Amino acid sequence: MAKLRFSEKNGEVCIHCKFMGSEMLNEAEYNYFIDNRIKGWLVPRSTAADKLEFTGARGIPLMHLLKSGVDTKKYFLIVSNLLDILEVAENCGFNMQNIVLDLDFVTVSPENCDIHLFYLPLWYNESFNDGIVNCLRKISTYAKYADQNTYANIDSFMNYVIGMRVFSIYQTKEYIRETCPELFGQSYDHRQFSRPASQEQPVRTPRAVPPVQQSGDTHQFNIPKPVKAPVPVVQKPEPKVLPSINEEKRQPLPELIKQERPHVEVRYPTLTRRSTGVTVNISKPVFRIGKERDRVDFCVTENRTVSRVHATIYTRDGSCFIEDNNSTNKTYINGTPLLPEREIKLKSGDVLTLSNEEFDFTDV
């Protein structure tokens, strides 16, 4: 995996990248970012046969801003700006796995929360990107909330995102617009780049969910835009589709079919604290455990060795996965310590240990 380092150069952010192993520069993609200066993207510059520098913005790592504290409006502004940039990537046919979504290297302006990302134009790259949804989860986990209302809003948002059958940037932005409309006003749809003219855009209702296609290791998207009255704008050149994407593999959107589902009684996995015998249902897609009552779903009282938000259980496709949130005293499954920020699948009968506090996990 390429080595990255964050610094400043001439008052701007400078991300240093050194190739490792079999990685090598993809010249077509590199030249694309040289020729197309796109809002929200740092520009690469080759400084050696195995080194790149990315510059073009003033700011700090997003991780630093999150840990300094956010309220509801700032959180949704950060997420909305991030989704705007990723939507440009989808429309232009980027290989989404080559976008760096590590929060230590996502750049943000403290003044207006403008986000800048960068794209690794490398062959055989081991990705710094484990998906948009996981990026949003980490933003929510590491953010310091201003108050309980902020926590409740973000918790509801993440449950909505995790509960999507197929993640949609458009639908997620619609949720944000409905939850925090003061962010947008008349300038809500402020994207500067549309789909290249060669790609036909089907007309659809604003609430439909566009599906995602996958071709090899390259994610390809067709993201229709909501129909709106034309607004006079200054014409700007649009970036071309990355040359590494095969246009012939793009397929039209299938029709969405609504199916009626019979009512089924829902049964949830449970977690039982051994020291007290208290049992709770894991009834949310994102279920947090820790000692800070206002930020977790299972509050571990009278144990100072448990971290504030010690671990998170994610429910997905009928299975539960646990992740240690970089806790001070670690999380264990049947006595085996977990690496921070790595999901491990749970099975019925597992014993979870948060620091020295034991829990029995029972699946349905």
Side-chain angles (χ1 to χ4, degrees):
M1 180 181 291
K3 287 187 176 180
L4 302 179
R5 180 170 59 86
F6 187 100
S7 70
E8 288 188 350
K9 189 174 184 179
N10 300 325
E12 290 186 333
V13 165
C14 182
I15 308 291
H16 306 267
C17 171
K18 179 177 175 58
F19 311 166
M20 304 296 291
S22 60
E23 294 167 336
M24 56 187 295
L25 184 67
N26 182 331
E27 292 188 8
E29 294 185 347
Y30 171 78
N31 291 330
Y32 173 88
F33 281 92
I34 296 295
D35 297 338
N36 294 275
R37 302 300 176 95
I38 311 173
K39 178 178 172 60
W41 293 89
L42 300 179
V43 180
R45 182 175 70 90
S46 178
T47 58
D50 60 347
K51 292 181 181 178
L52 290 174
E53 287 184 354
F54 297 85
T55 58
R58 299 176 183 271
I60 61 174
L62 177 56
M63 181 70 81
H64 293 182
L65 181 64
L66 294 172
K67 290 185 176 181
S68 69
V70 296
D71 57 15
T72 297
K73 185 175 181 179
K74 178 179 283 190
Y75 172 87
F76 281 128
L77 181 58
I78 290 170
V79 172
S80 180
N81 288 343
L82 175 65
L83 294 178
D84 280 345
I85 300 172
L86 293 174
E87 189 170 31
V88 170
E90 290 183 346
N91 292 344
C92 295
F94 291 12
N95 179 356
M96 303 299 282
Q97 292 301 310
N98 281 12
I99 301 171
V100 175
L101 292 180
D102 186 320
L103 302 187
D104 287 318
F105 299 103
V106 174
T107 300
V108 61
S109 167
E111 291 77 23
N112 54 17
C113 294
D114 279 350
I115 297 289
H116 279 77
L117 302 178
F118 66 98
Y119 182 98
L120 287 178
L122 302 179
W123 293 108
Y124 317 116
N125 170 48
E126 293 186 32
S127 180
F128 287 85
N129 173 350
D130 55 359
I132 299 175
V133 173
N134 281 332
C135 178
L136 296 178
R137 281 168 35 185
K138 289 178 181 178
I139 290 174
S140 304
T141 298
Y142 288 109
K144 179 181 178 181
Y145 304 135
D147 49 43
Q148 178 61 21
N149 185 57
T150 300
Y151 167 76
N153 289 333
I154 296 176
D155 187 57
S156 297
F157 170 70
M158 283 310 303
N159 279 306
Y160 173 81
V161 170
I162 297 294
M164 283 186 182
R165 188 177 185 86
V166 176
F167 178 76
S168 160
I169 287 181
Y170 172 73
Q171 191 173 0
T172 304
K173 290 175 65 176
E174 284 294 297
Y175 179 99
I176 295 174
R177 182 171 67 171
E178 294 173 2
T179 304
C180 201
E182 62 270 23
L183 288 180
F184 305 101
Q186 296 182 350
S187 61
Y188 166 63
D189 194 1
H190 58 278
R191 291 162 291 193
Q192 297 190 17
F193 300 96
S194 61
R195 180 183 304 278
S198 62
Q199 301 179 33
E200 182 179 353
Q201 298 185 38
V203 177
R204 65 192 294 155
T205 57
R207 295 300 297 178
V209 183
V212 178
Q213 292 180 222
Q214 184 170 345
S215 173
D217 63 352
T218 300
H219 294 275
Q220 301 177 16
F221 300 77
N222 268 328
I223 306 296
K225 306 298 182 297
V227 178
K228 63 174 188 176
V231 178
V233 296
V234 177
Q235 294 297 322
K236 296 185 179 181
E238 296 183 356
K240 301 175 182 178
V241 175
L242 275 177
S244 60
I245 303 301
N246 185 346
E247 287 294 330
E248 295 179 357
K249 294 182 180 180
R250 296 181 182 270
Q251 301 294 333
L253 293 173
E255 292 186 5
L256 300 178
I257 301 175
K258 183 177 180 180
Q259 298 180 345
E260 296 294 336
R261 298 183 180 179
H263 174 73
V264 178
E265 182 181 357
V266 179
R267 298 181 62 190
Y268 298 103
T270 61
L271 203 61
T272 302
R273 183 180 178 185
R274 286 187 172 183
S275 62
T276 62
V278 173
T279 297
V280 296
N281 290 330
I282 303 174
S283 57
K284 301 172 62 177
V286 183
F287 187 89
R288 298 182 177 90
I289 313 166
K291 68 180 180 183
E292 188 169 337
R293 186 177 301 276
D294 291 342
R295 296 185 61 186
V296 299
D297 304 292
F298 191 166
C299 182
V300 182
T301 58
E302 300 178 0
N303 190 327
R304 295 185 177 181
T305 65
V306 173
S307 295
R308 294 176 179 178
V309 184
H310 196 107
T312 304
I313 296 177
Y314 300 101
T315 302
R316 191 167 58 249
D317 298 327
S319 298
C320 290
F321 303 81
I322 189 168
E323 176 183 82
D324 179 79
N325 297 331
N326 203 22
S327 62
T328 302
N329 294 313
K330 298 185 179 181
T331 301
Y332 303 81
I333 298 181
N334 303 322
T336 302
L338 305 184
L339 293 176
E341 302 176 18
R342 297 284 184 87
E343 291 186 10
I344 300 296
K345 187 175 181 179
L346 294 171
K347 61 182 183 297
S348 192
D350 280 346
V351 178
L352 307 183
T353 306
L354 279 60
S355 181
N356 59 359
E357 192 75 47
E358 293 183 331
F359 302 83
D360 291 308
F361 173 77
T362 304
D363 207 346
V364 291

